[in-house]
Amino acid sequence: MKEKLTVKNIILLIILIFLICIFFFLLFTKPKLILTYNNLNIDREINVELNSDFNIKASVKYLNKDMNDKIKVSGNVNVNKVGSYELVYNVRIFIYKLQKKVKVNVVDKIPPVITLIGNNESNACSTNSYIEEGYTALDNYDGDITDKVVIENNINERIYKVKDTSNNESSITRKINITDVEGPTIKLKGSENVYVVQNGTYKESGYEIVDNCDSNITNIKIDNNVDTTKVGVYEISYTASDSSNNQTTIKRYVYVYNPDTAANMSGSEKGVIYLTFDDGPSTYTSKILDVLKKYNIKATFFVTSNGSDKLIKREFDEGHTVALHTSTHSYKKVYASVDDYFKDLDKVKTRVKNITQMDATIIRFPGGSSNTVSKFNKGIMTILTNEVLNRGYHYFDWNISVEDAGSCASKKSASEKEKCIYNNFVKGLSKNKMNVVLMHDIKSYTADKLEDMIKYALSKNYTFDKITMDTTQIHHKVNN
Ligand code: ZN
């Protein structure tokens, strides 16, 4: 059966062909939205570096014409903050509706920086015993992350590692040379200065040794040539070695003395020590007298109106020289005039006379003859130093001061004060001169250290004497 080509059918066919044409036309002319970043097409997701210049290019063409102004973007990206953002691109052209979503990841790719404090190479007994010199870790995004640093100890190195919040990792290595370059520390038990009476026994009080690497040091050598039969100063040396052959040596001094040779029997003055005590008597005077008695040493006390009569009596009875210092020790009063000076002196002179029945004729000026505190009365010391001699006195200054009322008095502890006066005493002594030593029996530390000073002098074969009218006077230069 044959169908007829009717008009109706022809029209239907034309419409059909027309519709097919439109369909293909629409199909082939559909606009395309193209997104690129750094010249690369974007699919769905891109990674952008923190703080970078970030720019997505969006373009659309319809029938070969740029229609970029039809593109609408929504969403925001903060390139200064790590995170994921979404941008949505919309285009409406003719009957077309296009949309593309892009996920933008702002990422931190810069690792933190670790900086070592101290040397990149260090010495230690072991990596574990290395004493950390310090380090810092700084990150471009997280800031200071020093507290996140993890340390790993290996045999010859210490590795410092840190990760920032974006998991960027850094590490740095400090080389540790396993070596011991430090000698042991020796600590003496007992005193560094030991006094032994002649023909007595020296007793070693021992020592302690500590080493930075070795737990137990047994290699110790002691050199001891102390001969207690001979008066003198002896050194004992202690040498300890650790397993790396580092050596430490320290010394102890032993003073062998003879208390029986303390008194100066020769009558000569060179190398003789004249201990003189000012400003007393006081509660410390009896201790000083006890020590002097023990060694049969005679000394000189320049007394004042202070303290008990009994102590002055004891000084006198035990054979010491009781000499005159001042009644008031007030510079303002004493040096106000020549008359005032002698009034003050007479007062203490009378006291001594009442106690000892003797006229004291040996004196010491308050502040010494070289004092400048009297300058408020111009020339008074020039007058007085002549006048006392005219009146039959001998005045004595000093050529060694232990500084017990001077610089040593300001030291903090009693032991520091004692050490200070002892050192001044030791430093000042000489065999080539008479040694007139200024001390004060109103100072506890002077009383406490006196015996050690005497033992030292005896171990050096010094002798002691008291000042008499036959003793050569020691005079300072007058400054007023
Ligand atoms: Zn004085």
Side-chain angles (χ1 to χ4, degrees):
M1 198 178 88
K2 227 179 179 185
E3 203 151 321
K4 271 192 179 166
L5 255 148
T6 63
V7 173
K8 194 184 163 193
N9 280 349
I10 290 168
I11 290 170
L12 278 173
L13 187 66
I14 289 168
I15 289 171
L16 185 66
I17 291 166
F18 181 71
L19 284 174
I20 289 168
C21 285
I22 286 176
F23 172 78
F24 279 102
F25 174 78
L26 290 175
L27 189 69
F28 288 111
T29 58
K30 186 185 178 189
K32 255 194 175 172
L33 174 60
I34 295 168
L35 303 177
T36 62
Y37 173 62
N38 285 347
N39 297 322
L40 292 171
N41 284 347
I42 298 172
D43 184 18
R44 251 185 223 123
E45 190 170 350
I46 54 166
N47 288 337
V48 171
E49 263 184 55
L50 189 68
N51 301 324
S52 62
D53 280 331
F54 154 72
N55 191 16
I56 289 179
K57 270 188 193 160
S59 59
V60 65
K61 274 186 178 172
Y62 181 60
L63 297 178
N64 227 14
K65 251 178 96 183
D66 275 335
M67 302 280 244
N68 293 350
D69 53 335
K70 300 270 187 203
I71 302 171
K72 291 204 169 103
V73 192
S74 63
N76 245 321
V77 175
N78 183 354
V79 288
N80 302 316
K81 206 177 165 206
V82 170
S84 288
Y85 305 87
E86 193 180 61
L87 294 177
V88 182
Y89 293 81
N90 284 299
V91 183
R92 282 191 83 156
I93 299 173
F94 186 38
I95 59 158
Y96 305 106
K97 242 176 132 180
L98 305 172
Q99 187 179 63
K100 268 198 175 178
K101 289 182 179 176
V102 180
K103 194 177 171 197
V104 179
N105 300 314
V106 174
V107 294
D108 172 23
K109 287 185 171 171
I110 301 175
V113 176
I114 308 177
T115 309
L116 295 181
I117 298 167
N119 299 312
N120 286 359
E121 195 170 334
S122 215
N123 295 326
C125 303
S126 68
T127 316
N128 285 323
S129 72
Y130 165 75
I131 295 164
E132 181 54 52
E133 290 162 274
Y135 51 85
T136 59
L138 293 176
D139 185 59
N140 62 316
Y141 189 70
D142 300 337
D144 190 338
I145 51 168
T146 304
D147 58 340
K148 300 247 159 53
V149 173
V150 175
I151 300 175
E152 193 183 304
N153 280 332
N154 292 332
I155 292 169
N156 276 303
E157 61 186 11
R158 211 161 148 81
I159 303 173
Y160 304 73
K161 288 181 180 168
V162 74
K163 271 185 189 172
D164 66 13
T165 47
S166 299
N167 262 335
N168 299 302
E169 190 171 11
S170 279
S171 79
I172 192 165
T173 301
R174 200 194 298 266
K175 207 178 159 203
I176 308 289
N177 298 315
I178 307 305
T179 169
D180 181 6
V181 291
E182 227 176 274
T185 305
I186 311 173
K187 254 195 193 163
L188 289 181
K189 289 181 181 171
S191 180
E192 187 190 323
N193 296 315
V194 177
Y195 304 94
V196 181
V197 69
Q198 191 176 14
N199 296 319
T201 320
Y202 167 71
K203 262 191 213 148
E204 174 61 45
S205 30
Y207 48 82
E208 268 169 21
I209 308 173
V210 182
D211 189 60
N212 58 327
C213 290
D214 300 353
S215 59
N216 195 10
I217 298 272
T218 49
N219 189 354
I220 172 108
K221 215 180 112 215
I222 303 176
D223 254 332
N224 176 351
N225 61 355
V226 177
D227 179 357
T228 59
T229 64
K230 277 187 198 149
V231 167
V233 183
Y234 300 89
E235 270 182 25
I236 302 179
S237 71
Y238 304 75
T239 304
S241 316
D242 64 18
S243 56
S244 302
N245 261 329
N246 300 301
Q247 275 195 353
T248 307
T249 299
I250 64 159
K251 282 171 180 174
R252 196 197 303 269
Y253 298 91
V254 179
Y255 299 92
V256 176
Y257 65 94
N258 180 352
D260 304 327
T261 58
N264 179 30
M265 303 301 183
S266 71
S268 72
E269 294 179 339
K270 257 193 187 174
V272 177
I273 298 170
Y274 296 86
L275 299 176
T276 70
F277 299 93
D278 285 14
D279 295 359
S282 84
T283 47
Y284 308 115
T285 307
S286 48
K287 179 162 189 184
I288 288 172
L289 287 167
D290 290 346
V291 173
L292 295 173
K293 195 177 192 177
K294 182 173 170 186
Y295 291 88
N296 190 29
I297 289 170
K298 305 302 172 209
T300 306
F301 291 86
F302 290 95
V303 300
T304 64
S305 287
N306 294 329
S308 88
D309 288 355
K310 278 183 189 160
L311 286 167
I312 291 183
K313 179 84 165 78
R314 193 181 153 195
E315 288 167 4
F316 180 75
D317 287 346
E318 293 182 2
H320 304 292
T321 295
V322 179
L324 309 176
H325 192 31
T326 167
S327 175
T328 60
H329 215 299
S330 156
Y331 297 121
K332 277 266 172 293
K333 280 185 190 163
V334 172
Y335 296 128
S337 68
V338 174
D339 267 3
D340 284 310
Y341 173 79
F342 283 105
K343 255 188 221 165
D344 175 88
L345 186 68
D346 281 345
K347 219 171 164 189
V348 65
K349 186 178 182 174
T350 306
R351 181 192 188 193
V352 169
K353 171 111 189 198
N354 288 339
I355 298 167
T356 67
Q357 320 307 322
M358 300 280 285
D359 280 312
T361 52
I362 293 163
I363 63 173
R364 175 173 282 158
F365 289 107
S369 67
S370 55
N371 80 76
T372 51
V373 289
S374 62
K375 278 201 168 163
F376 64 90
N377 187 353
K378 209 177 162 214
I380 181 93
M381 293 316 298
T382 308
I383 300 166
L384 287 177
T385 46
N386 283 307
E387 188 55 27
V388 293
L389 297 175
N390 289 340
R391 298 194 187 194
Y393 293 104
H394 283 183
Y395 74 88
F396 284 81
D397 290 307
W398 57 88
N399 57 15
I400 297 170
S401 169
V402 299
E403 292 292 312
D404 57 347
S407 57
C408 295
S410 54
K411 300 277 182 208
K412 275 184 204 131
S413 67
S415 70
E416 281 176 287
K417 287 172 184 171
E418 287 182 20
K419 206 171 185 179
C420 179
I421 63 172
Y422 179 92
N423 288 340
N424 286 330
F425 177 76
V426 167
K427 259 191 288 171
L429 290 184
S430 164
K431 289 272 170 67
N432 299 316
K433 65 175 191 201
M434 59 188 293
N435 300 278
V436 179
V437 184
L438 171 65
M439 296 195 266
H440 295 80
D441 53 332
I442 55 167
K443 303 289 184 187
S444 60
Y445 42 92
T446 302
D448 291 341
K449 199 61 183 170
L450 180 64
E451 185 164 6
D452 278 353
M453 294 193 271
I454 289 172
K455 285 173 178 175
Y456 169 83
L458 291 178
S459 72
K460 292 277 192 179
N461 276 315
Y462 282 95
T463 58
F464 293 83
D465 215 341
K466 63 182 177 182
I467 291 171
T468 68
M469 286 302 275
D470 296 325
T471 308
T472 307
Q473 293 174 72
I474 289 268
H475 289 172
H476 287 168
K477 181 179 169 285
V478 174
N479 292 313
N480 175 30

